[in-house]
Amino acid sequence: MAAAGRLRRRVLLLAVPWRWRCSPRRGAAGCPPAGQVRAAFLRFFEERHGHRRLPSAPVRPRGDPRLLFVNAGMNQFKPIFLGTAHPRSELAQHRRVVNSQKCVRAGGKHNDLEDVGRDTYHHTFFEMLGNWSFGDYFKEEACSMAWELLTEVYEIPKDRLYVTYFAGDSSLGLSADEECRDVWLCLGVPASHVLPFPLKDNFWEMGDTGPCGPCTEIHYDHVGGGRNAAALVNQGSPDVVEIWNLVFMQYSREVEGNLLPLPQHHVDTGMGLERLVTVLQNKHSNYDTDLFTPILDAIHKGCGGPRYQGLVGDADVGHVNMAYRVVADHVRALCVCITDGIYPGFSGAELVLRRILRRAVRFCSEVLHAPPGLLASLVPTVVEVLIMDVINENEAAFQSSLERGRRIIERTVQQMEPSTYFPAEVAWSLYGNLGFPLDLIDLILEEKGISLDSAAFNELALEDAKQKAGGPPAGQLEDTNTCLDVHSLAQLRSSNVPATDDSPKYAYTLGQHGRYEFSPCQATVLILYRDQSLQKEVGAGQRCGVILDRTNFYAEQGGQASDQGYMIHLGQQDILFPVQSVRLCGGYVIHEVTAVETLRAGDQVQLFVDEAQRLACMANHTATHLLNFALRHVLGDNTEQRGSHVTAEWLRFDFNTTGPVTVEQLQQVEQVVQDVIKRNEVVHTAEVPLMLARRVQGLRAVDEGYPDPVRIVSLGVPVESVLTCNSEAAMQTSVELCCGTHLLQTGAMEDLAIISERQLVKGISRVIAVTGSQAKQAREAGQCLAMEVDSVSLRMKERSASIPEMQNLSKEVGQLTKMVASTPVPQWQRKELQTILKVLQRTANTAIKKLEMQQAEEKAQSMLAKHCNQPVIIDTVPADSLSILMKVVNQLCDKSPGTSVLLLSPQASGEVLCACQVSKNCLPVFSAADWAVAVCTQMEGKAGGSPVVAKGSGNAKGMQRALTTALEFAQSKLLK
């Protein structure tokens, strides 16, 4: 009766049509498809245990530049764990959450790329099923829910499951997690299946600092049969694998390394869908499930080779099965990443994706012997053609490089001594010039039983890194005075310190003559923050964060730089506390100041923003919205913002695009912006409920985490109008959700010039623009450069007959090309001028070459008349350059095929140029390179070339000896 009641309850609550079983006797027809496995997990937590189901976040991390990809389900919830989520944001309202998160583990701390293919369970892309509790339930409920789902819903046999718990760590003063152990024992798990493990296995940390805690893992024994597999848990056995990890976040690791209890306890669990499906479909390999078999079948059809057999290690002769797994895994990762806006490129996540693609291409081509295009053909037809094009384009681009690289490796290996390392210089050339990822080089060498000289390679990489200009140092610690730690945030809230009222930042008006007026703001110091601790007092000369009850300073957020300015003690006008930066953390605005005298909680202060800097930021932020609208208007509604940054000096805007933006499109975008500026449109703002804001047609940027209510910024159209039901007003102007500070009317922008546009990676472009006086300066600079280019163009058309004059014009074109590339000018004009300059450079080079040929022919005719029918010509001749001298030699040899020629040309500088060519009839005894070296050595110079032609130079003092040596050398070779 109890079993029947349990079954009825499960059917009613979950509505899962499948009768889950995990019997080793079950055939393939009895396996639940992956889609049902995923759906059952989500419904179990949503309907049975009151969790809110959230969609997967994109694999491109949002707001965390330290991550290349979203690599765990918890990434999007980090602000909750850290306590930095805005109290009014939707994120801060979560208590119980469930989702299936797309994850990529390739590059960075969590990198499975090199393991993919070698076994049957590592992946670059996978789905993480997870449930979370944010200050709600803890260990007992989390373990109970997990056990119920696995054993009652999925009906996995209990005797095949093993659980682990944290065994404690004396060095950290942490005792064993007996609470967790006792929960499992109370749930009926046999003591022989509840196993303690140390810190490295059962203690989870977000990073070097931050929330962390013990975890409990659930492992599954694929063999079963009543055996006790406890000894195989956490031993790397493919038969006993971890399927679910439940993390109990109850500590915070501080900068010093010590652990402090968190003010709120959280639960973060993660279970890989691929591994779970493997268990429920009674398979030993993830690649044998319906998540991969259709792809593997398509690979077989596309390459026509042997079918996938699931072999690994030495049994996988020729690595064919490994290739199947690599290609199947990598094409999934490529599709997901490209769909989420990450394209193969040359830095960051884009570079990692490029490595994934090239690794897949290599296995397709060299192991599976598949025809070009196989990788793109694996993408389902429902996927956008753009993805196929990107993969095809990159596959084709790397195919030729792969062939060249393979030949280089083969030749190098043949020349190597036995038992030596592969040369680092060759590997670096493959890496830098042919785009071979280092792991691909290692893999190819491993197949040949050879190792790379890694130490020498790392030295080369280090030297290269030193030469390149870099950004901020990787892993740079955040400022301990402006970034509140989780304990301080909890202390503020428990002490009922109110969040900062920053509404005065919007309190500015347009006064007489169109000048903006910013009123000072009076505030009270609530608390001070220094070295990760809240303090009531900070002494003179100390740098600290100041938290006030209210502020008119804008904190850095939404892509806009923070305000600068100063504060004073009320009534003390002569002592200024400069505000260097402002940050928002968990609803509190922290002002970074250096105290010029003692600051105390309770002090009354008056705040003054830097008006010029604020106004410039306002103009550039409004310009950013207008630029977003103009780009969509010109390039199409599919144009989406990918990022932006606003400072007082410039604005940066990233957006997706199918190709480079043309000159005409750039001009059109600027014209759209200038039209709105001229109309001096009113900038309307209003705070509205988030749900109401989401209904606005055509509203941009609704996928970010916004507080509720949210602020709408609309150019030229009142917010009430865009909120009207079925209104299309927002489609005709710029309407965005934004917390930034903006102009009140667009006319104050004066002008906008796009001074840079380039593709960051395939499909993502970045523009940089300036406004106001800077835009005017850019246009003036563009006009000046255009006049310079026109002047050179006119002089070029005169076609001077003098080589030096043409060389000077060519040099001038080169200098102008550099100036056009580096000077801030409108980008459309830069492109136009660069096109003209390229044509002028080609014209100049052609003219110089033609004049040199004419001069060389005249000199050659003269030399032939002087040395008629001689087998060797050795002489001096005036020539303005080595290029002309070489041409004279070539002309002589062409007109007298059996003659070998060496000419010297003394220069006004005291240098002597040397050029020679040997008749092919004299090879191999007579070598031009040896001839030139012998001659130039007499002039204390150097030379080089091939057996047929060579060139060099030396000092005029040795020219007579050189002429004698030239004749003696030629005679010695020709008389043999």
Side-chain angles (χ1 to χ4, degrees), residues 577-855:
F577 295 83
V579 177
Q580 293 148 338
S581 68
V582 190
R583 296 184 67 169
L584 179 67
C585 194
Y588 297 97
V589 176
I590 305 100
H591 307 72
E592 182 189 10
V593 305
T594 299
V596 292
E597 66 173 24
T598 302
L599 264 176
R600 298 181 180 86
D603 283 356
Q604 300 291 303
V605 295
Q606 202 165 17
L607 307 173
F608 298 84
V609 298
D610 181 329
E611 295 182 5
Q613 192 251 3
R614 160 67 84 84
L615 185 57
C617 281
M618 287 163 51
N620 286 342
H621 203 151
T622 304
T624 303
H625 284 215
L626 194 44
L627 181 62
N628 190 4
F629 168 73
L631 285 165
R632 290 169 64 92
H633 180 78
V634 173
L635 303 181
D637 288 338
N638 291 329
T639 305
E640 294 291 344
Q641 178 176 342
R642 294 295 186 186
S644 67
H645 188 60
V646 175
T647 72
E649 291 76 30
W650 46 262
L651 64 97
R652 186 191 74 213
F653 191 82
D654 301 341
F655 58 98
N656 66 309
T657 178
T658 55
V661 184
T662 66
V663 167
E664 293 76 15
Q665 288 171 330
L666 286 169
Q667 289 174 316
Q668 291 169 19
V669 168
E670 283 192 1
Q671 190 59 56
V672 170
V673 174
Q674 286 160 6
D675 288 345
V676 179
I677 293 173
K678 288 175 184 175
R679 292 199 300 267
N680 199 20
E681 300 279 14
V682 174
V683 180
H684 300 273
T685 60
E687 280 199 348
V688 300
L690 184 59
M691 287 304 296
L692 187 59
R694 289 182 186 275
R695 298 174 191 167
V696 176
Q697 292 194 42
L699 182 67
R700 264 74 75 193
V702 293
D703 62 334
E704 303 288 341
Y706 291 99
D708 192 5
V710 68
R711 196 163 181 262
I712 291 183
V713 178
S714 173
L715 302 189
V717 178
V719 175
E720 298 79 18
S721 299
V722 300
L723 291 175
T724 304
C725 186
N726 297 323
S727 170
E728 295 186 0
M731 306 291 286
Q732 311 304 320
T733 187
S734 167
V735 179
E736 298 191 31
L737 306 183
C738 181
C739 61
T741 56
H742 287 269
L743 296 174
L744 300 177
Q745 291 179 256
T746 59
M749 211 182 301
E750 297 180 6
D751 191 8
L752 177 138
I754 297 171
I755 59 171
S756 172
E757 183 275 326
R758 65 184 179 91
Q759 282 202 308
L760 292 179
V761 295
K762 183 72 175 177
I764 304 290
S765 282
R766 167 171 289 177
V767 297
I768 294 176
V770 291
T771 60
S773 60
Q774 286 182 288
K776 182 182 178 182
Q777 290 170 11
R779 296 196 189 282
E780 290 173 351
Q783 290 170 2
C784 290
L785 286 172
M787 291 171 63
E788 293 282 342
V789 172
D790 287 343
S791 172
V792 173
S793 184
L794 285 171
R795 283 179 282 148
M796 194 79 75
K797 287 175 182 177
E798 295 173 1
R799 292 295 177 95
S800 169
S802 163
I803 290 177
E805 286 181 11
M806 286 306 298
Q807 287 175 331
N808 286 336
L809 278 174
S810 176
K811 194 174 189 180
E812 196 173 336
V813 170
Q815 291 170 343
L816 271 175
T817 300
K818 290 180 180 177
M819 289 178 65
V820 167
S822 60
T823 305
V825 299
Q827 181 68 8
W828 63 265
Q829 191 170 32
R830 190 193 318 278
K831 287 189 173 185
E832 281 189 347
L833 294 177
Q834 286 173 333
T835 301
I836 295 170
L837 287 167
K838 282 180 183 178
V839 173
L840 291 176
Q841 192 69 70
R842 282 197 300 268
T843 302
N845 292 343
T846 302
I848 292 169
K849 188 176 181 181
K850 187 176 180 180
L851 289 170
E852 287 181 346
M853 288 297 290
Q854 289 173 354
Q855 194 178 107

Side-chain angles (χ1 to χ4, degrees), residues 85-406:
H86 195 286
R88 290 196 291 123
S89 68
E90 187 178 9
L91 198 61
Q93 312 310 313
H94 295 325
R95 290 295 173 265
R96 298 183 176 203
V97 167
V98 63
N99 85 338
S100 178
Q101 173 63 49
K102 298 175 290 186
C103 298
V104 175
R105 289 190 176 174
K109 178 182 176 182
H110 298 287
N111 183 8
D112 290 342
L113 178 57
E114 294 181 26
D115 294 320
V116 171
R118 298 177 186 272
D119 54 37
T120 61
Y121 48 86
H122 274 101
H123 303 292
T124 51
F125 164 74
F126 64 97
E127 283 188 65
M128 183 73 85
L129 302 171
N131 61 288
W132 289 267
S133 164
F134 305 117
D136 190 352
Y137 60 80
F138 205 44
K139 296 179 183 179
E140 181 177 357
E141 296 90 337
C143 295
S144 177
M145 292 175 195
W147 194 250
E148 179 186 1
L149 177 64
L150 294 178
T151 62
E152 296 185 25
V153 177
Y154 290 139
E155 295 187 351
I156 298 176
K158 296 179 181 179
D159 62 351
R160 290 198 179 196
L161 297 175
Y162 295 80
V163 296
T164 65
Y165 67 95
F166 178 50
D169 188 284
S170 56
S171 66
L172 291 173
L174 296 177
S175 57
D177 191 359
E178 296 177 353
E179 178 188 359
C180 177
R181 179 200 63 189
D182 293 343
V183 168
W184 288 118
L185 293 174
C186 289
L187 288 170
V189 183
S192 60
H193 284 220
V194 182
L195 312 170
F197 279 92
L199 191 80
K200 71 180 183 69
D201 295 307
N202 277 80
F203 196 89
W204 189 92
E205 304 199 48
M206 185 183 295
D208 295 333
T209 61
C212 56
C215 64
T216 180
E217 298 174 342
I218 304 175
H219 296 251
Y220 175 79
D221 177 16
H222 279 286
V223 177
R227 71 170 185 166
N228 188 319
L232 298 177
V233 172
N234 279 336
Q235 299 304 309
S237 169
D239 293 331
V240 180
V241 296
E242 174 202 338
I243 60 172
W244 205 345
N245 187 13
L246 285 64
V247 179
F248 307 123
M249 292 196 188
Q250 58 188 92
Y251 301 106
S252 175
R253 186 177 289 280
E254 304 303 297
V255 176
E256 297 80 11
N258 59 308
L259 297 176
L260 295 177
L262 279 174
Q264 271 195 325
H265 290 173
H266 308 296
V267 173
D268 165 18
T269 86
M271 175 161 56
L273 175 67
E274 290 76 10
R275 289 194 183 183
L276 177 61
V277 171
T278 299
V279 169
L280 296 178
Q281 293 185 359
N282 194 34
K283 306 292 184 183
H284 272 67
S285 163
N286 296 357
Y287 292 91
D288 292 336
T289 68
D290 64 344
L291 289 168
F292 288 93
T293 50
I295 305 175
L296 296 171
D297 290 342
I299 295 172
H300 170 67
K301 183 179 179 181
C303 68
R307 283 191 172 276
Y308 176 71
Q309 297 174 289
L311 302 175
V312 295
D314 294 338
D316 183 18
V317 179
H319 304 295
V320 172
N321 289 265
M322 178 180 177
Y324 266 98
R325 289 188 289 268
V326 167
V327 175
D329 170 89
H330 288 10
V331 77
R332 289 197 339 147
L334 286 164
C335 289
V336 169
C337 289
I338 292 172
T339 301
D340 280 351
I342 303 175
Y343 298 86
F346 297 96
S347 65
E350 286 77 11
L351 176 60
V352 175
L353 198 63
R354 186 170 179 252
R355 289 175 55 200
I356 291 173
L357 190 147
R358 293 187 166 206
R359 192 170 188 256
V361 171
R362 189 257 168 176
F363 275 96
C364 280
S365 173
E366 295 199 346
V367 181
L368 296 176
H369 307 293
L374 172 67
L375 202 57
S377 73
L378 301 176
V379 182
T381 55
V382 296
V383 178
E384 294 290 339
V385 175
L386 173 62
I387 296 178
M388 290 189 180
D389 289 342
V390 172
I391 293 177
N392 261 327
E393 188 177 310
N394 280 268
E395 182 177 3
F398 187 55
Q399 196 77 46
S400 60
S401 296
L402 181 63
E403 288 297 321
R404 286 176 60 199
R406 185 181 55 77

